[in-house]
Amino acid sequence: MTEIKDLNRFWNAYKESRLGLIGLAILLFFVTLAVFAPYIAPYDPHEMFKPMEHPGSDHLLGTNDIGQDILSELIYGARVSLFIAFFVSVVSGIIGTAFGLLSGYFEMFGFFLMRIVDAFLAIPRLPLIIVIAAFMRPSIWNLIFIFIILGWPITTRIIRSEVLSLRTRNYVEAARMVGAPDTYILMKHILPNVFPLLVVRLIIEASHVIIAESSLSFLGLGDPTAKSWGMILHYAFVYPTIFISDLWMWWMLPAGLCITFTILSLTFIGYALEELVNPRLRGMTRI
Amino acid sequence: MIEVKDLRKYFSSGILKKQYIKAVDGVSFQIERGETLGLVGESGCGKTTVGKLLLRLIEPTSGKISFDGIDLLQLKKKELRKVRPRMQMIFQDPEASLNPGMKVGDSIAEPLKLQGGLNKREIKNKVSELIETVGLNPEHVNRYPYQLSGGQNQRVVLARVLALNPDFIVADEPTSSLDVSVQAQILNLIRDLKRELHLTLLFISHDLEVVRHMSDRIAVMYHGKIVEIGNAKDIFNDARHPYTNTLISPASIVDIKTTSDYHGVSGCVFYPGCPFAAEICSKKEPEMVEIGSGHWVACYYIS
């Protein structure tokens, strides 16, 4: 009962943010595309027709250089991009939260872990991703692995700083005084209270991952068989006459817009949630 | 019941050049079973730190604390967890002492669940019993802390603290964040409960009137040291330490110079602000001297 009430309260507060609603609508649109791709897409994205057809009634956005329907590619592309983003942010979120909780609560462990995190954070992210991706066999799972490895330290640092503050709260001390063991305090009193911050962090991480995946694919370091938006851009970009004809308008632009709008939607949602978590920001990002 | 000897807590900061803040600097006192000791002093003088040290919420730099014959500082983590339920603390801000995401009833039930030995129905009954003891309504159980007033929340905290039948409670300014009209209610409730349940109390406050209302004996703290301790009556009628006097009748004596670098001072902590300071005060720290039955003062001026 109260969980439903809580959700209602949350939704009522979230509704206040116009940006948040816009973001949610865009994201839902792409999620629908991804989930129902086989029903929405007019063709199988791997099926080949006559190459380089211009947009027409058969192929709304034309076909690419090997005759695949570009619209279908885009729709299936939502699957790849969103899946990677979701998977990475959840897994690196779990790892980052676990380490963040432990390192915030146990000082010695935290001290040593933070030096490792420092090392990770000192490395510029995208160049490293490019280097690793170049040496590993390009596949979706390798990309996911790299993103997780690079994503958790940031989450850990953020969660840790929150735990450091939470663990000195009176209710944590009060729990300790009634004989609560450390694990209980962490799970029951600290974890639920870092959760709002974590959600914001996951959303931001998801948008970072989408950018990184698109960049890598665009540079040709992605999975060549996966139908991601970045990959569409890559194949279009290497096609000889792409910019001296109108081709880019239906081959490149839609994929670019898809990436842009997905990231925008995540950013908007992130803003809205951040306002909820930190009421001091309220009204600063309103349009 | 409680015996504290030469308790010290220094907070250090800085890596290369350590700087120490002497929050508590050699504090000794006793509290008899069933007694209330009031601890007064201005904010920042180390009152709260003393309270937390007694319950080992923070580890002292040195000193000795014995609780009912148990040497608290020798206890390992596990043993400590067994003793902990017998000592509890009430914090200044009631809303901060309750997990914002937990229903008030769950907060009260938490200590009972953690201690084990009771089934769900017994816990529920015990919670309603406690709710009644502290003067709340049964329907408050399903509320969240933000839905209750400060006074109601402090009652919840009390119920939670009493759940484990503690022997000793540290009340750290339990009413200073409440409305004046509610303060008296909570204070009387604490006093009545203390009498009914034979509790031993350390009552911390900066408000002398409140302490007088609550305490059998009073200890006056200044900059990490106890400067005077004695029966409440003696402290109010026969205060000897100049600092105690400024607390009781602030207008009677020139204003105290508050200095931040008293740490370098080798003599009496109150020396920089004391109107009666003599040469010796700056050189040697005064010892505690008993001037009446159980009335101790650390000051050269009285002798």
Side-chain angles (χ1 to χ4, degrees):
Chain A
M1 260 314 277
T2 50
E3 276 74 22
I4 296 170
K5 245 196 232 157
D6 281 351
L7 267 182
N8 258 331
R9 218 157 54 83
F10 174 77
W11 174 242
N12 283 333
Y14 185 87
K15 260 192 330 201
E16 291 295 302
S17 163
R18 212 176 314 161
L19 269 184
L21 286 181
I22 296 171
L24 199 62
I26 301 174
L27 188 67
L28 275 180
F29 169 72
F30 282 113
V31 169
T32 316
L33 282 192
V35 173
F36 299 106
Y39 306 100
I40 298 172
Y43 306 99
D44 180 328
H46 294 283
E47 198 182 342
M48 290 182 220
F49 304 92
K50 194 164 156 274
M52 303 315 294
E53 267 201 74
H54 286 206
S57 52
D58 286 347
H59 302 285
L60 283 176
L61 288 174
T63 58
N64 65 11
D65 53 344
I66 53 172
Q68 292 163 337
D69 182 61
I70 292 175
L71 179 64
S72 305
E73 272 192 306
L74 280 177
I75 293 171
Y76 275 86
R79 271 193 166 182
V80 178
S81 297
L82 288 179
F83 170 74
I84 295 180
F86 179 75
F87 194 89
V88 170
S89 69
V90 167
V91 175
S92 76
I94 291 172
I95 298 172
T97 308
F99 278 143
L101 286 177
L102 293 176
S103 70
Y105 198 76
F106 301 105
E107 271 169 52
M108 272 321 263
F109 178 76
F111 179 80
F112 287 111
L113 192 75
M114 277 310 110
R115 302 293 78 78
I116 298 174
V117 167
D118 283 342
F120 270 98
L121 293 181
I123 306 167
R125 226 172 155 194
L126 199 60
L128 181 69
I129 293 178
I130 292 172
V131 171
I132 298 177
F135 279 103
M136 286 169 73
R137 213 159 37 83
S139 85
I140 285 188
W141 290 104
N142 281 348
L143 285 183
I144 287 177
F145 175 74
I146 297 169
F147 294 147
I148 290 174
I149 291 290
L150 292 173
W152 72 266
I154 303 170
T155 312
T156 298
R157 176 60 50 92
I158 291 171
I159 298 295
R160 173 185 139 96
S161 65
E162 184 72 0
V163 174
L164 283 178
S165 137
L166 286 174
R167 70 165 189 182
T168 59
R169 298 282 159 91
N170 287 343
Y171 60 81
V172 173
E173 291 187 324
R176 206 173 296 150
M177 271 181 319
V178 295
D182 290 333
T183 40
Y184 176 91
I185 292 176
L186 274 174
M187 297 312 286
K188 195 90 184 192
H189 290 294
I190 294 184
L191 181 60
N193 290 307
V194 298
F195 209 72
L197 199 70
L198 180 63
V199 172
V200 175
R201 165 73 198 132
L202 292 192
I203 300 276
I204 293 168
E205 175 71 6
S207 70
H208 283 179
V209 168
I210 290 181
I211 296 177
E213 187 273 331
S214 309
S215 319
L216 283 187
S217 301
F218 176 72
L219 293 174
L221 296 168
D223 186 341
T225 58
K227 287 284 167 209
S228 77
W229 294 329
M231 227 54 219
I232 298 175
L233 285 180
H234 170 70
Y235 286 125
F237 190 74
V238 295
Y239 191 76
T241 58
I242 181 84
F243 289 118
I244 47 174
S245 61
D246 289 341
L247 280 176
W248 62 273
M249 281 174 57
W250 57 85
W251 199 358
M252 287 193 90
L253 194 61
L257 287 178
C258 281
I259 295 170
T260 311
F261 275 104
T262 311
I263 289 162
L264 263 185
S265 75
L266 289 171
T267 311
F268 286 175
I269 294 172
Y271 278 152
L273 289 176
E274 217 162 20
E275 275 183 18
L276 284 186
V277 176
N278 186 355
R280 258 175 302 172
L281 298 176
R282 201 156 289 162
M284 288 178 67
T285 48
R286 190 154 296 164
I287 48 165
Chain B
M1 183 77 183
I2 300 278
E3 200 178 339
V4 177
K5 259 207 193 109
D6 206 22
L7 193 64
R8 283 166 208 276
K9 175 68 186 178
Y10 298 169
F11 291 105
S12 63
S13 64
I15 300 171
L16 294 177
K17 200 172 164 226
K18 287 259 188 216
Q19 291 199 314
Y20 291 101
I21 295 175
K22 299 176 177 176
V24 176
D25 195 14
V27 161
S28 307
F29 58 85
Q30 289 159 17
I31 311 177
E32 302 296 326
R33 189 179 288 276
E35 184 186 52
T36 301
L37 176 70
L39 188 58
V40 272
E42 61 191 23
S43 38
C45 75
K47 293 171 299 190
T48 303
T49 312
V50 168
K52 288 189 173 178
L53 285 170
L54 283 189
L55 305 183
R56 257 188 87 178
L57 279 175
I58 42 182
E59 298 293 328
T61 310
S62 71
K64 216 179 143 191
I65 306 167
S66 85
F67 167 74
D68 204 11
I70 306 166
D71 188 348
L72 269 190
L73 299 176
Q74 295 302 318
L75 292 184
K76 300 240 164 55
K77 223 176 167 188
K78 255 196 180 151
E79 300 163 324
L80 183 66
R81 249 175 51 206
K82 273 191 205 133
V83 184
R84 276 249 167 88
R86 296 180 56 196
M87 348 181 261
Q88 293 296 315
M89 186 156 181
I90 303 169
F91 295 99
Q92 185 170 353
D93 180 356
E95 207 175 323
S97 338
L98 297 166
N99 187 333
M102 257 165 103
K103 272 184 278 186
V104 155
D106 295 334
S107 279
I108 300 175
E110 186 180 44
L112 298 167
K113 278 184 196 149
L114 281 167
Q115 286 307 307
L118 292 175
N119 65 32
K120 267 193 176 158
R121 261 205 37 224
E122 288 168 325
I123 288 179
K124 220 180 149 197
N125 290 339
K126 177 88 189 178
V127 170
S128 349
E129 206 179 286
L130 287 164
I131 287 265
E132 205 178 309
T133 316
V134 298
L136 286 169
N137 293 331
E139 77 252 21
H140 286 138
V141 173
N142 285 321
R143 304 274 185 83
Y144 287 92
Y146 71 88
Q147 294 169 315
L148 297 179
S149 71
Q152 286 168 328
N153 275 325
Q154 199 60 293
R155 285 171 196 270
V156 172
V157 170
L158 262 174
R160 191 187 139 96
V161 159
L162 293 175
L164 296 175
N165 302 319
D167 300 318
F168 173 58
I169 295 180
V170 174
D172 182 11
E173 311 224 13
T175 57
S176 48
S177 68
L178 303 177
D179 287 342
V180 182
S181 53
V182 188
Q183 281 188 8
Q185 292 173 22
I186 298 288
L187 288 175
N188 288 332
L189 178 65
I190 294 177
R191 216 170 54 159
D192 295 345
L193 287 170
K194 185 222 142 190
R195 237 176 254 152
E196 235 168 87
L197 304 169
H198 309 291
L199 299 168
T200 308
L201 213 60
L202 176 69
F203 192 91
I204 301 171
S205 178
H206 62 266
D207 186 334
L208 221 64
E209 278 311 309
V210 169
V211 170
R212 178 191 217 164
H213 181 68
M214 299 295 291
S215 320
D216 305 313
R217 286 196 305 137
I218 293 175
V220 181
M221 237 181 130
Y222 186 74
H223 282 327
K225 286 193 160 75
I226 290 183
V227 294
E228 184 163 7
I229 184 167
N231 290 326
K233 213 171 60 227
D234 292 341
I235 294 286
F236 274 91
N237 301 332
D238 191 21
R240 294 301 183 86
H241 199 280
Y243 179 63
T244 315
N245 274 313
T246 57
L247 279 183
I248 294 172
S249 44
S252 69
I253 291 182
V254 281
D255 59 326
I256 309 170
K257 275 171 264 158
T258 43
T259 68
S260 53
D261 58 52
Y262 61 91
H263 298 297
V265 178
S266 54
C268 174
V269 275
F270 193 53
Y271 165 70
C274 183
F276 308 110
E279 210 191 326
I280 187 168
C281 300
S282 67
K283 296 210 171 100
K284 204 166 143 267
E285 200 185 319
E287 299 276 323
M288 276 285 210
V289 183
E290 186 166 21
I291 54 153
S293 70
H295 189 173
W296 295 73
V297 184
C299 182
Y300 292 115
Y301 181 61
I302 45 115
S303 45

